[in-house]
Amino acid sequence: MFLNRLILGLSTGSFYSLAAMGIVLIFKVTGLMNFAYGNMAMFMAYVTYTFVSLGLGAWSALVLTLLVSMLFGYAVERFTLRPLRKLSHGSMLIVTFGILMILEGLATQIWGTQYKSLPELIAGRPLIFRGDFGIVVFRRQDLLLFAVLVTVSFLVFLLYRFTKVGIAMRAVSENEKAAQLMGIDPNKVISWCWMVGTAIGTMVAVLGAPRTYVSPTMMIYYQIQGFTAAVLGGFDSLLGALCGGLVLGVIENLIGGYISNELKTTLSLAIIVGILLVRPQGLFGSEEIRRV
Amino acid sequence: MLELKNVTVSYGPVVAVKNVSLKVEKSSITTILGANGSGKTSLLHAIVGLNKIVSGEILFEGERIDKFEAHEIVRRGLILCPDNRMVFQKMTVLENLQAGAYLRRDDLSKDFEFVFTLFPKLKERLKQKAGTLSGGERQMLAIARALMAKPKLLMLDEPSTGLAPNLVTEIMRAIKRINESGVTILLVEQSAYAALKISHYGYVLQTGRLVMEGPSERLIRDSSVVESYLGGR
Amino acid sequence: MALLEIDSLTVRFGGLVAVDNFSMRVEKGEIHSLIGPNGAGKTTVFNAITRVVKIHSGTIVLDGVELTHVAPHRVVSYGVARTFQNVVVFKYLTVLENFYVGYHHRIVGGLLKDLIPTKRRLIENYDMYREALKLADFLGLKSRLLSYAGSIPYFHQKLVEIGRALMAKPKLLLLDEPAAGLNEAETKQLVNIVRRIREEMGITVLLIEHDMRVVMDISDVVTVMDFGKKISEGKPEEVRKDPKVISAYLGEINSA
């Protein structure tokens, strides 16, 4: 069933897209690959779990967690990475690795090793359409996911295109020195990106939790695929991240359906390597040719 | 309005500017001349807080600013228009201008109007990415972007570099008009003659030191200016 | 006879013509300077000679051998060595090891041969060591030989870079802004060293330099570029008086 595979692919792809957008947002202004990205989101999923187990409804727990995640993203950047920013890029990478491991350990310490479950934010009978095209099944969760993806992308687009903060973000990501000459404080802009990026990651973790369960390793695959999607999209383009994720999800599911479920990750990565050989700048990357 | 006292700037082990003292009077055009590698850009970057100075003092309207971050200095109305490679190439002309007005909260329509009468070409290119502009248009954009910040003192870093002579003339005229509208100007140039013609007072920088200063009409006739560029005797 | 002959060289980056139909000759034994305002294309000419940028058209001939299609890492074995605008030394190698790197292309054979201590290899190593010692002496770096190149003063790092280039025993030495960032005493020493490179080693020197005192003091011939083209050439005192050169640097006196 091609159409159902496609829908499934788009739904997995939405997770990748969201993950990729957060990664790219942070990468664009700081030039930093945040290895802790997935685990920060994982930690936030545990926070949601705690809120829920304290008796909060799933939706209010999510909203509350998003606020917490912004604070969390701000704090991680402000207190662990900013002091190093002018010193060495390499040490910043290592610090994000460190945070990755600390969070994993911390989560086990606080919440134990047993997997936790989070309720679906939306539940109910799937929507079924019959027609000449056969039977198409839409799960309500997938509809929610698409809605979230569209909303987040649209909001990020508006933020990026039309607001002062957005102009500042783009200015800093293109030329930090010139941006400073306009009175833009790069530190502030970086904080913003970390806050928004972490919140997007958290969204992935909380929406994905019903599938993956809440566990210290729940985000590893999403982080890897989010990274791949970002690379596919060109790594410095938000639109690229969005499309890269969807393309990756679809490729993966079609291979899983028609060729072999075991090989889906391997083959999809091979295809991406192929795409990148033809278009090294990714689907939407800027085509600037770097001089030696 | 701006005063430098014994300012020294260095990049790591390399001293770029040594012991420079100078003054920019309110509502004047002051120029700093010098061939490449004489330390002009390093000096400007130090004034606006992109580099920290090693020693000396920088005063703007009587206040010491050499310890401030760049965005704090910009807030005080001291704006640097960098060389034209520093326009935001991936953003449109309009977005570049908006970025220039980042700190402003008041009405911008007058400023847009002024900028467009100064450089009508920019109005035609408003929705175009800055990366697609010609060298001359980029320079105009860089100046316009700096003007959007409503400078009290506008510093320009080699606005004539890489431009054909007729464009240089156009840019210099624009700078004069900006000055006449009430903005004090510090013009850093390699094209000595063009800069001396529109300025009131000039300094000559040679490998990081001030070697000459005086009213522009005097410097323009002084052959030692040429010698400071091309070596003397 | 000309050691280096550049004939109608053109280099483009996208739409930008960095070097435009540029020709020049550097005679054997000359100290020749290449000057011009920022962005004139001087470093690009160096990059074309060392083949690290793509040549769009034109030819470069060194001592009768065409370099135009030689691979970048092979250029040195044809007799061209260079230094860079921003000092490029291997910071975590000692001065001596930096010198050895410069000798690299003169050693015959690959890694395997390197591991087997044949007599020939031992002799080569000894030659290399002697040569490094000689150069260190020449440049006044003898006491620094075992220091890490990153830990010594800036001026000395510059000398290490020159020394490394000289280890290749070039016919032509390219120096990109050797005096940038040096104080007056150091500049004087540098000028002296460049002169001695020509006089004692017989190496032809082509340099890019902004410090005009150095250029005027040291050069036999000066070539001036602007907007990728040659605008003037001749003895320092001729070039200095050339109205074209003056207006390239200071602008047109009658404009505006």
Side-chain angles (χ1 to χ4, degrees), chain B residues 178-189:
Chain B
I178 295 167
N179 177 245
E180 283 158 5
S181 79
V183 180
T184 310
I185 284 176
L186 176 59
L187 171 62
V188 167
E189 258 302 342

Side-chain angles (χ1 to χ4, degrees), chain B residues 101-212:
Chain B
Y102 180 73
L103 290 177
R104 301 271 303 275
R105 305 223 179 281
D106 48 335
D107 182 36
L108 298 177
S109 54
K110 277 227 172 83
D111 303 78
F112 274 115
E113 207 176 296
F114 179 57
V115 161
F116 292 144
T117 48
L118 216 49
F119 305 118
K121 267 188 201 144
L122 290 182
K123 200 170 184 177
E124 298 160 25
R125 305 255 189 277
L126 216 49
K127 297 276 177 224
Q128 237 168 289
K129 288 249 163 75
T132 66
L133 301 182
S134 70
E137 288 163 348
R138 267 183 229 192
Q139 189 55 58
M140 293 172 192
L141 177 58
I143 297 174
R145 186 180 64 176
L147 283 176
M148 292 305 288
K150 220 177 203 172
K152 289 183 197 159
L153 170 59
L154 176 63
M155 307 194 289
L156 297 129
D157 191 1
E158 299 208 13
S160 80
T161 302
L163 301 187
N166 59 329
L167 272 173
V168 174
T169 313
E170 199 179 329
I171 296 280
M172 290 298 158
R173 273 202 202 115
I175 293 171
K176 206 162 178 201
R177 278 182 69 184
I178 295 167
N179 177 245
E180 283 158 5
S181 79
V183 180
T184 310
I185 284 176
L186 176 59
L187 171 62
V188 167
E189 258 302 342
Q190 173 169 298
S191 289
Y193 293 133
L196 287 173
K197 261 177 204 152
I198 61 164
S199 62
H200 307 105
Y201 199 82
Y203 294 88
V204 180
L205 203 59
Q206 186 183 10
T207 53
R209 292 159 202 268
L210 284 182
V211 289
M212 227 188 294

Side-chain angles (χ1 to χ4, degrees), chain A residues 27-49:
Chain A
F27 175 80
K28 273 184 82 107
V29 288
T30 50
L32 183 69
M33 176 60 212
N34 177 15
F35 288 109
Y37 179 73
N39 271 6
M40 287 171 69
M42 172 276 291
F43 204 76
M44 288 300 110
Y46 273 109
V47 170
T48 316
Y49 164 78

Side-chain angles (χ1 to χ4, degrees), chain B residues 36 190 192-193 197 229 231, chain C residues 37 210 212 240 249-250 253 255:
Chain B
N36 345 338
Q190 173 169 298
Y193 293 133
K197 261 177 204 152
Y229 275 65
Chain C
H210 284 323
M212 288 302 157
R240 187 162 60 209
Y249 273 89
L250 286 83
I253 195 157
S255 75

Side-chain angles (χ1 to χ4, degrees), chain B residues 13-15 35-37 158 161-165 169 172-173 190-194 197-198 206-207 209 220 225-226 228-233, chain C residues 35-39 42 154 180-184 210-213 216 227 239-242 245-256:
Chain B
V14 180
V15 178
N36 345 338
E158 299 208 13
T161 302
L163 301 187
T169 313
M172 290 298 158
R173 273 202 202 115
Q190 173 169 298
S191 289
Y193 293 133
K197 261 177 204 152
I198 61 164
Q206 186 183 10
T207 53
R209 292 159 202 268
I220 208 165
V225 175
V226 177
S228 80
Y229 275 65
L230 295 171
R233 281 160 252 283
Chain C
I35 65 170
N38 275 333
K42 300 160 301 212
Y154 182 74
L182 302 186
N183 65 32
E184 259 157 69
H210 284 323
D211 191 332
M212 288 302 157
R213 291 167 302 182
M216 298 301 158
F227 291 110
V239 163
R240 187 162 60 209
K241 295 205 185 81
D242 186 339
V245 177
I246 293 176
S247 67
Y249 273 89
L250 286 83
E252 305 277 344
I253 195 157
N254 294 321
S255 75

Side-chain angles (χ1 to χ4, degrees), chain C residues 32-82:
Chain C
H32 194 129
S33 292
L34 186 57
I35 65 170
N38 275 333
K42 300 160 301 212
T43 299
T44 311
V45 170
F46 268 28
N47 287 342
I49 299 172
T50 51
R51 298 291 307 103
V52 293
V53 296
K54 213 175 131 198
I55 293 171
H56 188 262
S57 63
T59 54
I60 298 169
V61 176
L62 183 87
D63 216 3
V65 183
E66 192 169 337
L67 290 183
T68 324
H69 302 291
V70 171
H73 68 278
R74 303 271 308 147
V75 170
V76 63
S77 46
Y78 286 80
V80 181
R82 79 177 283 186

Side-chain angles (χ1 to χ4, degrees), chain C:
Chain C
M1 188 203 152
L3 177 69
L4 177 75
E5 269 181 89
I6 299 176
D7 189 30
S8 38
L9 175 74
T10 299
V11 179
R12 298 167 194 258
F13 298 116
L16 179 83
V17 184
V19 177
D20 189 2
N21 206 10
F22 174 80
S23 305
M24 80 185 269
R25 292 161 67 94
V26 179
E27 302 297 327
K28 235 170 218 162
E30 229 173 32
I31 295 180
H32 194 129
S33 292
L34 186 57
I35 65 170
N38 275 333
K42 300 160 301 212
T43 299
T44 311
V45 170
F46 268 28
N47 287 342
I49 299 172
T50 51
R51 298 291 307 103
V52 293
V53 296
K54 213 175 131 198
I55 293 171
H56 188 262
S57 63
T59 54
I60 298 169
V61 176
L62 183 87
D63 216 3
V65 183
E66 192 169 337
L67 290 183
T68 324
H69 302 291
V70 171
H73 68 278
R74 303 271 308 147
V75 170
V76 63
S77 46
Y78 286 80
V80 181
R82 79 177 283 186
T83 67
F84 294 87
Q85 220 168 74
N86 316 311
V87 178
V88 185
V89 293
F90 300 104
K91 287 189 176 149
Y92 298 105
L93 297 182
T94 62
V95 171
L96 185 64
E97 286 163 338
N98 264 282
F99 282 5
Y100 284 176
V101 174
Y103 197 83
H104 178 81
H105 82 100
R106 290 165 66 185
I107 294 174
V108 190
L111 179 64
L112 193 65
K113 267 196 180 163
D114 222 7
L115 290 170
I116 306 165
T118 57
K119 192 173 167 197
R120 179 168 164 198
R121 173 84 340 144
L122 290 174
I123 292 172
E124 251 174 13
N125 281 350
Y126 179 65
D127 285 347
M128 179 165 81
Y129 176 67
R130 250 194 2 197
E131 187 112 9
L133 229 50
K134 225 165 64 190
L135 274 177
D137 206 26
F138 178 80
L139 296 167
L141 288 173
K142 226 170 178 178
S143 61
R144 300 279 189 191
L145 266 179
L146 297 179
S147 317
Y148 285 113
S151 71
I152 63 178
Y154 182 74
F155 176 52
H156 287 163
Q157 293 191 19
K158 284 209 147 178
L159 294 182
V160 169
E161 214 193 353
I162 294 175
R164 190 180 60 202
L166 289 174
M167 280 295 279
K169 257 218 154 75
K171 297 173 190 161
L172 176 66
L173 178 64
L174 306 177
L175 302 173
D176 197 347
E177 293 195 31
L182 302 186
N183 65 32
E184 259 157 69
E186 292 164 345
T187 306
K188 272 199 186 120
Q189 275 187 59
L190 177 91
V191 166
N192 203 5
I193 283 170
V194 173
R195 280 215 180 95
R196 284 174 57 213
I197 288 174
R198 189 252 308 261
E199 262 126 50
E200 293 172 24
M201 303 183 170
I203 294 172
T204 308
V205 180
L206 175 60
L207 68 144
I208 295 174
E209 185 50 59
H210 284 323
D211 191 332
M212 288 302 157
R213 291 167 302 182
V214 172
V215 171
M216 298 301 158
D217 186 16
I218 204 175
S219 326
D220 303 313
V221 183
V222 178
T223 301
V224 191
M225 290 182 82
D226 195 19
F227 291 110
K229 292 193 166 88
K230 176 154 90 179
I231 57 166
S232 177
E233 190 168 63
K235 297 209 175 79
E237 51 278 17
E238 296 165 6
V239 163
R240 187 162 60 209
K241 295 205 185 81
D242 186 339
K244 272 196 208 146
V245 177
I246 293 176
S247 67
Y249 273 89
L250 286 83
E252 305 277 344
I253 195 157
N254 294 321
S255 75

